[in-house]
């Protein structure tokens, strides 16, 4: 579908290549045990996951800082669960979460196979709203860093997806143009609408069982990328 025009493939990282929910759950399992948090992990995650998504949206919209994101997603979840915990302990958990998150490096099925397939044909890049240091550790520890020519993150770009500036910065660094580029990501708002507004081709990796939409084609397994590229 895109094979004749694409030279550069841009990926989101979390929820697209890197299995964020699985790795995040393993991280909380570790730090809850270390800090003797007496909550059933599945009960915590049921409340935390949607809270985390909501606070990331606020962060993406510049309505909260990264520090507020890291604190409030935990504070709000513990409050909703009626679990008493001090602010000091929340900060400990928050810092340990960032420290340990990248030691778990489960990728989505077929991620390596697809990257191997694409690498011989296209220039590959990452555009992520994640924090620079954390995302760098994830890429290196999961052994996929070497696949990518450029890794663009919101901290160094100064704006977050879907702001067009981060996509234009990515194109500039990759020395390409939107008509020859495709963005593959899980977020309709940040990845699909954001990149499409700048002129990218787009492909939605549906990691969240979202309903069909009119923005672009949707895939549920990374292997399906081979049908397009």
């Amino acid at each position: 579908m895109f094979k004749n025009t694409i030279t550069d493939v841009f990926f989101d990282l979390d929820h697209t290549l890197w299995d964020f929910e699985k790795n995040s759950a393993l991280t909380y399992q570790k730090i809850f045990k270390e800090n003797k948090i007496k909550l059933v992990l599945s009960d915590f995650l049921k409340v935390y996951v949607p809270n985390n998504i909501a606070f990331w949206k606020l962060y993406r919209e510049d309505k909260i800082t990264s520090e507020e994101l890291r604190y409030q997603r935990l504070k709000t979840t513990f409050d909703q669960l009626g679990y008493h915990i001090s602010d000091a302990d929340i900060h400990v958990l928050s810092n340990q979460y960032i420290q340990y998150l990248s030691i778990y490096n489960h990728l989505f099925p077929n991620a390596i196979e697809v990257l191997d397939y694409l690498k011989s044909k296209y220039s590959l890049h990452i555009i992520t709203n994640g924090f620079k240091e954390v995302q760098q550790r994830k890429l290196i520890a999961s052994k996929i860093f070497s696949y990518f020519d450029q890794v663009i993150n919101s901290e160094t770009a100064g704006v977050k997806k879907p702001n067009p500036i981060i996509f234009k910065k990515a194109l500039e660094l990759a020395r390409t143009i939107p008509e020859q580029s495709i963005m593959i990501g899980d977020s309709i708002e940040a990845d699909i609408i954001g990149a499409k507004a700048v002129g990218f081709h787009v492909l939605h990796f549906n990691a969240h069982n979202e309903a069909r939409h009119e923005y672009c084609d949707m895939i549920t397994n990374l292997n399906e990328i081979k049908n397009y590229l």
Side-chain angles (χ1 to χ4, degrees), residues 98-117:
I98 297 300
Q99 177 185 350
Y100 292 136
L101 182 59
S102 58
I103 70 174
Y104 300 102
N105 287 288
H106 293 278
L107 300 172
F108 278 100
N110 302 312
I112 296 293
E113 179 186 338
V114 167
L115 290 174
D116 281 335
Y117 168 81

Side-chain angles (χ1 to χ4, degrees), residues 170-211:
L171 291 168
E172 178 185 329
L173 289 170
R175 298 182 178 181
T176 189
I177 58 175
E179 292 80 7
Q180 295 176 358
S181 304
I182 184 169
M183 179 73 199
I184 302 172
D186 71 290
S187 172
I188 296 174
E189 178 189 14
D191 299 314
I192 304 309
I193 297 175
K196 194 171 184 179
V198 178
F200 281 68
H201 299 279
V202 289
L203 186 60
H204 182 202
F205 177 60
N206 188 6
H208 313 287
N209 295 316
E210 292 174 286

